[in-house]
Amino acid sequence: MAYPRLAPSSFLPFLLLSLICSLVSAQANEDATIKTMEDFSGYPLHERNDPFCGSSSLPTSLSVDGDSLQRQINELSTFSDTPAPSVTRILFSDKDVLARRYIKNLMGLSGLSVREDAVGNIFGRWDGYKPGLPAVATGSHIDAIPYSGKYDGVVGVLGAIEALNVLKRSGFRPKRSLEVILFTSEEPTRFGISCLGSRLLAGSKVLAEALKKTTVDGQNISFVDAARYAGYMKGEDDLSNVFLNSGNYSAFLELHIEQGPILEAEGLSIGIVTAIAAPASIKVDFEGNGGHAGAALMPNRNDAGLAAAELALAVEKHVLDSGSIDTVGTVGILELHPGAINSIPSKSHLEIGMISRVQKLIYLLYAHNPDQCFSMWQIPGTLMRNEEMK
C-alpha cells in the first residue's frame, strides 16, 4: 500500500467539515437543495448566525490533535505479523483480535457506547439529543493485506474517532447520533471475500448462508471456527442478526488514503470520490499433461503453467484495451503443480481480481455464466475450470 504524502491529520478538517455539514447546510439560497438539507439536518437556515456552516449550535473552534492521532496510527501498526514498516493483519488472527481490542478501548475512552455484532463489525456511538433519528456514520477497516502500509483503512477509523473527539472538545452537541464503524474484513485475504462485514450489514442472505456452510480459508479452517476463535458467533448461527434495518443511517462518510499516484502527481492534498468501483474475483484451474521437462518435446506439450500464463496476459490485455483508465486487473495468486524446475506443470491454479466502475467490464470476468465469459480464453490442449469467488 502507498503511504500518503501528507500527515493524516491534514485530512481531518475535511472529515470534520463533512460530518458537520452532513448535519447542517452551508448554503443560504432558498432552493430545493436547501430544503433537502434542512429536512435532513434538522437545522433551519433562517436561524443561522454562523457564516461557516449556518447554525448557532456549531462549534467555533476545531483543533485536531495530530500528534495523538499519529501516535495511535503507529501503535496500531505494531499489531502485525510482519516486521515494520510493513503491516500484515489478517482477519480473526491473534494480531487482529488485539487490534480490535485497541480500537474498542479508544472508543470507550472517547465516551462512545461500543457494541459488536456476530461477525465483528464494531460500532462506537455518540448519541445525539434526538437519538431516534437516523444516525450519521463514518468509519473504515483495520485488516491489512500482507506487507501493506499502516494507513490503509486505519485513517478512516482512527481519524473518525479523533473527529468526534474534536467535536466533543469544541462543545458541539449533535442532534443526530454520530457513529464510528469498524467494518470486518474489507480485504479478501483470508476467505476470498471482500467487504465481508459491510455486505452482511447490507443484508446479503447468500453470503450469510455461505459463511455458515461452505466458506473456508487456505488452511481449511471454516469461517465459523475462525470467528469463534476470535470471540464471535458464540452460541449463534443466524447471521441475519447482522443485517441492518432500513433507515438506520441518514449518511455515511469514509476518509481514506488515495493509495494511488494521481493526487500526489497533481499536487493535490485531498480529493472527493465521484464513483465507487466494484470488485470482482474468480478462481481458475487448468489441467494439462505433466512429464519430465527434459524428455517431452515442446510441440507435444499441454503445459498447464503456460495456459495460466496466457490467461494472466489476456486479463492484462483486456483491461488495457478497455479504454477505462481506472479499471485494474490482477492475477495475485498463481500456483503450479507439482512445482519442480524439471517437471512440466500438470495443473495450475490462479485467482484473478478486477476493479472497475464500468459494469460491462466486470461482467466479462464475473458474469452469471463464467464458463461463457472464459470460453474466449480457453487454452488448446488443457481442461479449464473456474469458480466465482464471493
Side-chain angles (χ1 to χ4, degrees):
M1 297 298 171
Y3 291 86
R5 183 169 57 88
L6 299 180
S9 59
S10 66
F11 299 119
L12 273 174
F14 174 77
L15 177 57
L16 290 166
L17 295 181
S18 300
L19 278 173
I20 295 168
C21 293
S22 290
L23 302 173
V24 298
S25 173
Q27 306 274 341
N29 298 323
E30 296 297 327
D31 56 20
T33 301
I34 295 304
K35 184 178 185 306
T36 299
M37 291 303 293
E38 285 187 331
D39 292 343
F40 165 67
S41 68
Y43 288 93
L45 292 183
H46 65 270
E47 294 180 3
R48 76 173 196 162
N49 55 19
D50 187 317
F52 182 63
C53 269
S55 172
S56 58
S57 66
L58 288 176
T60 57
S61 176
L62 298 175
S63 178
V64 175
D65 190 345
D67 292 339
S68 176
L69 176 59
Q70 186 63 62
R71 183 173 64 254
Q72 292 168 2
I73 292 172
N74 294 340
E75 289 174 351
L76 190 60
S77 72
T78 64
F79 301 113
S80 170
D81 286 317
T82 53
S86 71
V87 177
T88 300
R89 193 160 47 239
I90 307 302
L91 176 66
F92 297 149
S93 64
D94 291 338
K95 299 297 185 182
D96 181 51
V97 171
L98 290 173
R100 289 166 174 272
R101 188 177 303 165
Y102 180 84
I103 295 297
K104 288 184 287 185
N105 183 60
L106 288 179
M107 287 178 170
L109 291 174
S110 298
L112 307 181
S113 58
V114 182
R115 71 175 181 89
E116 298 175 274
D117 63 22
V119 297
N121 291 311
I122 301 174
F123 307 83
R125 191 177 186 92
W126 178 14
D127 285 327
Y129 63 83
K130 288 199 173 181
L133 293 174
V136 173
T138 182
S140 194
H141 65 99
I142 63 167
D143 58 315
I145 67 172
Y147 298 94
S148 70
K150 60 185 174 182
Y151 296 101
D152 178 23
V154 167
V155 171
V157 176
L158 294 178
I161 294 173
E162 173 59 14
L164 266 59
N165 286 335
V166 172
L167 292 173
K168 282 174 172 282
R169 290 194 296 265
S170 72
F172 177 72
R173 185 185 177 201
K175 182 175 183 177
R176 296 176 182 270
S177 297
L178 302 180
E179 192 158 79
V180 178
I181 306 176
L182 186 160
F183 294 101
T184 280
S185 190
E186 190 272 347
E187 306 289 3
T189 307
R190 183 166 187 179
F191 292 101
I193 304 171
S194 60
C195 305
L196 187 153
S198 55
R199 288 190 192 193
L200 286 177
L201 290 173
S204 175
K205 296 180 180 179
V206 172
L207 176 57
E209 287 301 309
L211 291 176
K212 290 190 298 182
K213 297 178 180 179
T214 62
T215 302
V216 296
D217 66 9
Q219 305 301 316
N220 208 35
I221 299 173
S222 72
F223 175 84
V224 173
D225 287 343
R228 287 176 176 165
Y229 174 81
Y232 302 104
M233 288 189 69
K234 290 188 175 181
E236 60 179 305
D237 292 324
D238 184 8
L239 293 182
S240 65
N241 293 329
V242 177
F243 300 169
L244 290 178
N245 296 322
S246 177
N248 274 50
Y249 299 105
S250 59
F252 179 83
L253 174 73
E254 180 176 9
L255 179 68
H256 205 282
I257 63 169
E258 184 194 21
Q259 297 178 276
I262 297 175
L263 291 179
E264 183 172 2
E266 296 186 4
L268 300 174
S269 61
I270 197 165
I272 300 176
V273 172
T274 57
I276 297 176
S281 51
I282 197 165
K283 299 178 181 179
V284 180
D285 291 284
F286 286 101
E287 291 185 13
N289 296 323
H292 196 291
L297 300 179
M298 298 299 290
N300 300 327
R301 294 187 181 187
N302 295 317
D303 189 326
L306 293 180
E310 289 190 34
L311 178 55
L313 292 172
V315 169
E316 179 191 36
K317 185 176 187 302
H318 164 63
V319 172
L320 291 175
D321 291 349
S322 70
S324 174
I325 187 63
D326 52 6
T327 293
V328 296
T330 305
V331 177
I333 294 177
L334 177 56
E335 300 168 347
L336 303 179
H337 176 82
I341 191 171
N342 61 340
S343 180
I344 301 168
S346 59
K347 297 179 181 179
S348 62
H349 171 84
L350 66 164
E351 297 183 11
I352 305 167
M354 184 179 291
I355 302 175
S356 180
R357 296 184 295 113
V358 183
Q359 193 175 51
K360 66 179 181 181
L361 297 179
I362 290 292
Y363 279 169
L364 185 59
L365 177 70
Y366 194 52
H368 297 293
N369 185 354
D371 290 326
Q372 181 179 354
C373 289
F374 274 91
S375 62
M376 69 183 74
W377 290 334
Q378 177 66 58
I379 311 300
T382 61
L383 175 65
M384 181 179 184
R385 298 188 180 92
N386 49 74
E387 172 190 354
E388 292 180 357
M389 298 170 67
K390 302 298 187 229

